Amino acid sequence: MDVCDDVLLEILARLPPKVVFKFRCVSKRWNKIINSPFFLRSYGERRKGSFAGSLLGFMHGFMQNKTRYTYTCGNPHLPSKPPIRILPLLGDQIFTVPSKLGYFISASNGLVLCGHQPMTYYVMNLLTKKWVSLPSPHSAYEVKSIELVCEESTTQLVANYKVVRTCIPSDLEVDNKLTIQTYSSKTGKWAESILVATSNPLSLCDPPIVLNGVFHWSVFEKYIAVYDSNDIGRENHLQMIKNPPAERMLVSSVFSRSSDGLLWCGYYTGLSMQIWTLPKGENGYKRSCNIPAKDWSLVHTVTLDSLCNDYSALSYLREELKNGHLDLYMLALIPWNPLIVVFRIDETIFLYNAESKSMETVRLRYHDQPTIVPFDDYWHPYFESPFLSSYALQ
């Protein structure tokens, strides 16, 4: 028995994006409904309010001095490993990437940036098995970092995205300015601009972390430089945020943004994991001066000693903890719940929920066989996209 359009729309709106995307092929009628601006808008609003997505797996990168340097992955002298490796969670299957697309660089909202540095790039969708090549940038500057950001559309089934390269031209010696090259899928072109910090020299420690389309750089491991390319009138402005206060030298840190736009930070100090959040002011995070460390609020802290005592999965690490030989690295705060921490100890990855105070071991597979995570490599968490438009790459 056939159903009316209103009932069909309601049924489709309750399904995950991967399923809805495939249902466009059922008939012309279904394709028209799914591509309609009304359905895309209502579907996006529903997913924003109720999304509790999943961690699909990890994309392989490289580590240098325990810091992520994915943008150097085109180096021909790297070990002869598959250009892109994916470790999916148990039971999940992720598309195998053609070797010609090069090495993993970045991921955003369901899309992946890969290629051969410094001038060849591809953007691909692992679930739809589609990819596109980007034109080469106009200038081959020294590249400090490169990152992808996928912008959601609620009116059309198109994945709009930007690729941002942080560059160091030889003639730019002003220490509070930064040159960036931005490729936009809307224009199909690269554009160049200068970012200016509110104060402080810009010695960026790591590639940026892109959260809800906003770029976050670590500066001297003391500040966060925040850049929102969609902020009309302030598109060349870098807001400097002082890191949360820490009693010890930081071993690792991660950032996230919650659905209400609040900035979150996770710290590992060698003795404990801490989760902080930064309340907004009247104008959000936009100020004419630096945001001080005292503005952060500590939400949760857990000591390594209590983790080893409370969870049998870590009981074997007690002796290493006592001897100070425990290597722990925070990998991510889950996007849909910043109180869930993804961290690794040696070759094992864990999920710790600060709300329920529960922890579980992440089970991974490679070539359909259980696997561990090589300790010397960087593994970028790859999350399910909450929206339908990220599943299209046209």
Side-chain angles (χ1 to χ4, degrees):
M1 183 179 67
D2 200 4
V3 295
C4 66
D5 287 356
D6 290 342
V7 174
L8 180 58
L9 188 148
E10 185 64 26
I11 294 173
L12 292 172
R14 298 174 182 271
L15 300 176
K18 184 177 180 180
V19 176
V20 175
F21 184 85
K22 291 182 177 179
F23 280 174
R24 293 193 305 163
C25 301
V26 171
S27 67
K28 291 182 179 180
R29 175 194 172 203
W30 285 41
N31 183 60
K32 182 179 180 181
I33 292 176
I34 293 173
N35 280 280
S36 69
F38 175 78
F39 174 79
L40 293 172
R41 188 178 298 107
S42 60
Y43 186 85
E45 291 174 354
R46 182 189 292 262
R47 295 286 288 182
K48 276 185 179 179
S50 62
F51 179 62
S54 60
L55 175 64
L56 298 181
F58 290 80
M59 301 288 296
H60 175 248
F62 293 90
M63 292 187 73
Q64 178 178 328
N65 298 327
K66 300 180 181 179
T67 304
R68 181 166 68 104
Y69 285 93
T70 55
Y71 50 88
T72 62
C73 290
N75 190 327
H77 302 295
L78 289 172
S80 56
K81 300 178 180 178
I84 297 182
R85 286 194 293 166
I86 305 170
L87 295 185
L89 295 184
L90 187 63
D92 288 330
Q93 297 295 321
I94 297 182
F95 173 51
T96 301
V97 180
S99 60
K100 70 176 184 179
L101 298 188
Y103 292 87
F104 168 78
I105 298 174
S106 172
S108 173
N109 221 352
L111 299 183
V112 173
L113 175 68
C114 56
H116 301 277
Q117 281 282 28
M119 304 293 282
T120 303
Y121 303 109
Y122 301 89
V123 174
M124 65 178 177
N125 189 316
L126 296 180
L127 299 176
T128 63
K129 304 180 181 179
K130 295 182 179 180
W131 66 83
V132 295
S133 61
L134 306 188
S136 297
H138 302 302
S139 303
Y141 294 139
E142 177 186 347
V143 180
K144 186 73 174 178
S145 68
I146 180 168
E147 207 73 19
L148 169 73
V149 54
C150 177
E151 304 171 321
E152 288 299 339
S153 173
T154 58
T155 58
Q156 56 183 332
L157 195 58
V158 175
N160 295 316
Y161 54 88
K162 294 180 181 178
V163 176
V164 176
R165 297 187 354 145
T166 308
C167 305
I168 308 178
S170 57
D171 59 344
L172 187 63
E173 299 179 354
V174 182
D175 60 4
N176 71 327
K177 293 184 179 182
L178 193 67
T179 295
I180 64 167
Q181 294 176 320
T182 302
Y183 172 83
S184 171
S185 63
K186 293 181 180 179
T187 64
K189 299 179 180 179
W190 290 88
E192 187 172 305
S193 59
I194 303 293
L195 301 183
V196 182
T198 51
S199 62
N200 296 87
L202 285 172
S203 178
L204 307 183
C205 298
D206 299 311
I209 300 169
V210 183
L211 308 167
N212 296 353
V214 180
F215 291 75
H216 302 73
W217 284 274
S218 176
V219 182
F220 288 131
E221 296 185 352
K222 295 181 179 180
Y223 286 87
I224 306 166
V226 181
Y227 166 57
D228 186 351
S229 61
N230 296 313
D231 189 1
I232 305 299
R234 295 168 64 94
E235 61 273 6
N236 292 331
H237 176 75
L238 273 172
Q239 176 64 60
M240 304 295 288
I241 300 175
K242 190 77 168 61
N243 282 355
E247 298 178 357
R248 289 170 54 92
M249 179 74 69
L250 299 181
V251 177
S252 62
S253 60
V254 290
F255 300 96
S256 183
R257 275 185 184 257
S258 51
S259 58
D260 55 3
L262 290 179
L263 183 61
W264 293 73
C265 178
Y267 269 5
Y268 170 55
T269 65
L271 293 179
S272 66
M273 289 194 298
Q274 302 174 1
I275 300 177
W276 298 74
T277 187
L278 182 63
K280 290 183 177 181
E282 293 182 359
N283 298 317
Y285 296 134
K286 301 180 180 66
R287 305 186 191 176
S288 58
C289 57
N290 295 341
I291 297 178
K294 65 180 180 63
D295 284 16
W296 288 88
S297 298
L298 181 61
V299 177
H300 182 80
T301 183
V302 57
T303 65
L304 271 263
D305 185 58
S306 65
L307 282 177
C308 291
N309 289 332
D310 295 343
Y311 303 103
S312 59
L314 294 179
S315 59
Y316 72 98
L317 297 171
R318 288 173 184 163
E319 289 302 317
E320 293 186 44
L321 178 62
K322 291 179 181 178
N323 297 328
H325 297 151
L326 186 59
D327 288 321
L328 182 151
Y329 297 99
M330 300 181 77
L331 299 180
L333 299 178
I334 296 291
W336 56 89
N337 186 350
L339 290 175
I340 300 179
V341 183
V342 185
F343 68 94
R344 65 179 290 168
I345 297 177
D346 294 331
E347 297 175 329
T348 306
I349 292 179
F350 300 92
L351 290 178
Y352 172 71
N353 190 320
E355 288 181 299
S356 62
K357 296 184 179 180
S358 60
M359 191 173 69
E360 61 181 286
T361 303
V362 175
R363 305 293 181 184
L364 297 168
R365 299 180 69 86
Y366 188 58
H367 290 314
D368 295 328
Q369 297 295 325
T371 186
I372 58 177
V373 178
F375 180 69
D376 292 333
D377 294 337
Y378 173 80
W379 293 90
H380 179 91
Y382 181 72
F383 299 103
E384 177 189 1
S385 173
F387 302 108
L388 187 60
S389 60
S390 287
Y391 285 78
L393 187 58
Q394 300 174 357

